[in-house]
Amino acid sequence: MNFSLRSYLKRLRSTILGILIIGILPALLFGTNTQLEQNVWEYSIKNLKYPLFPDVFEKYQYSMTIFFAALLTGLAAALILTFFTTLLPRFLQRIVYGLLTFLESLPDLFIVVVLQFTVIYIYQSTGVLIANISNVYNNPIYLLPILTLAVLPTIQLFKIALLLMKDEQHKPYVTVARAMGLSRFYITIVHVFRNIITSLVQYYKTIFVFMLSNLFIVEYVFNLNGIMNVLLNTKGVAFMVTALMIAIPFSLLFEIAESNTIKVNKQEGEEAA
Amino acid sequence: MIIKLLKQPQAVIGFLFITCLLVFSFYWPSMLDVNKTEALKLQDFLYDDDGRIIDAPPYSPSQVPPLGSDMFGKHIFYQVIDGAKYTILIALGIALFRILFSVGITLINPKSSFSFLNDIVQATLYIPTAILTFIFMNSLIVKQSMEPMSTIKLIVLQCLILIGVGVPPLISTFSSEIKAILNKDYITNSFALGSKKVYVYYKHVLPELSTKLVLLFAQQVVQTLILMAHLGVLAIFIGGSAIVVLGDIFTPMPVAIPLAGEWAGIIGMNFAKIKAAPWAILTPLSFFAVLIFALNLIIQGIQNCLETNKS
């Protein structure tokens, strides 16, 4: 753990500067001043004005609950799937890999819409409502957004984990463990998995950024009152504040993860040397 | 490199699929033997053989084969086929210009670290691209509603926004990439022997970048397509929209109809009526998915090429 506050603050400064520029740029480029009559601390959806504070905290909490629940679900699902795939014969593994490449190219929008329809269809044909498909005010929904948001990261993580697993299984320590008479099952769970998870952490940035973009589409399509919806409908100062609310904790997370992965890399380098 | 790429079956399949779709999109009226204006017109009601009205739009795929119609009675299938050319060409063009601009800007001053741009890139990590583009597009549309501009100018400005959103991250990729190439020994040598900057860039730097460029180009096309789909959902149409009033006299419903026929527009137009006519939105979305899959096949082929190059 060699997290340094100074490098984090330096990075944060550039992020804040960037958000400032993005916030000002549209008004500069197109010269529109649409917020003259609008209070700075308000945002409007369909001509109805809402105050930004303190509502935003509640929305933030809601969005982050969905985000991290989806992340954990995705991670767990990917690891379980990886485990079962490695136990499959070689040719089935190739089929799974090909299928993953196909699933990966589905746009997030497609998955959201298809899931929504599936729930409606099941409800229409059997009368069983698995989960609410749209947000009714003051009655937040959790199950379906979390599942939807988890689908694509699961596929990505699964693919990465599968590749890592392939690399890992040919390493000397697995051979040694095999020679010691340990079962394949035991080696995979106790040794290989632990190593994969440390390598998986390195992909955190891609996954997080990808999921944030998905979160937006999920919130929009399911009509959730989340932070991304606020971000979409705010302008000027309120936009910058909302963007910073997302940027500050996430950049902290990235910084911590980065300082840890560097440490892991160093250790590996030392081991190799 | 092209010959190597031809040996990758998946890349060839992907490429052929996209080419076929493009050609079909241009020549479908003569190929399917239908009248283009007839196929794309608004169809108010559905008549049976005796001329009686049986149904009002949207029609299901069983009523209007092969893929049903949207809220205005337009055939989804013809719309999608006709829109393919716009969608593919816009995505290709935007990706191309993104790459061109970012390489150009990087090559003007390859030694600088672009710290200013890196700030912006850092910030855009936390704001989804669709929201970023929406903010710009929205102020553009507000401006257009106040002082109308010609469609061509609007399209150019919208494309510029779509290009501009992608350029900063690309520049920061390229600047590190180009710096690494410029630090190679033979480049330093050729500078020491007195070759001109332009010559070195053209002769050494660009060829070394070329495979990477093709890969990034394909990835940019995919990103542009996804971005366009998202913008479609947000009811931002490339080429602007016309307002059509639907419904009866007592409850008029103004609906924005995109002028250009690209897929994102079809999605955006039908998104509010998602439960009434699911096929109208699932069809363009599946076409998006298939197109992205074809592009991913090409990307996979290029990556295989790069790997064989290394070993």
Side-chain angles (χ1 to χ4, degrees), chain A residues 11 14-15 17-19 21-22 26 30 32 34 101-102 105-110 113 117 120 133 205 209 212-213 216-217 220-221 228 231-232 239 247 250-251 254, chain B residues 116 119-120 122-128 130-132 134-136 139-140 142-143 146 161 226 229-230 233-234 271 274-275 278 282 285-286 288-289 292-293 296 300:
Chain A
R11 183 181 290 202
S14 64
T15 312
L17 201 65
I19 288 175
I21 293 163
I22 291 168
F30 302 110
T32 49
T34 47
T101 319
F102 175 70
S105 42
L106 292 178
D108 41 6
L109 194 58
F110 184 81
V113 172
F117 273 122
I120 295 175
I133 50 147
K205 212 166 190 168
V209 171
L212 272 178
S213 153
F216 157 64
I217 275 301
Y220 189 82
V221 174
M228 290 292 169
L231 195 63
L232 184 70
F239 168 78
F250 272 90
S251 54
F254 284 178
Chain B
F116 176 72
D119 288 352
I120 301 183
Q122 276 287 326
T124 49
L125 278 182
Y126 310 106
I127 305 169
I131 291 186
L132 197 65
F134 178 78
I135 295 165
F136 282 96
S139 34
L140 179 68
V142 169
K143 186 182 181 182
M146 287 197 291
I161 291 172
I226 292 176
H230 287 183
V233 172
L234 292 175
F271 198 74
I274 182 168
K275 268 139 216 159
L282 282 177
L285 269 178
S286 353
F288 261 119
I292 289 171
F293 179 58
N296 275 348
Q300 194 92 50

Side-chain angles (χ1 to χ4, degrees), chain A residues 88-102:
Chain A
L88 288 175
R90 185 61 56 81
F91 75 98
L92 272 178
Q93 278 186 26
R94 293 199 69 171
I95 293 175
V96 168
Y97 192 76
L99 204 67
L100 280 183
T101 319
F102 175 70

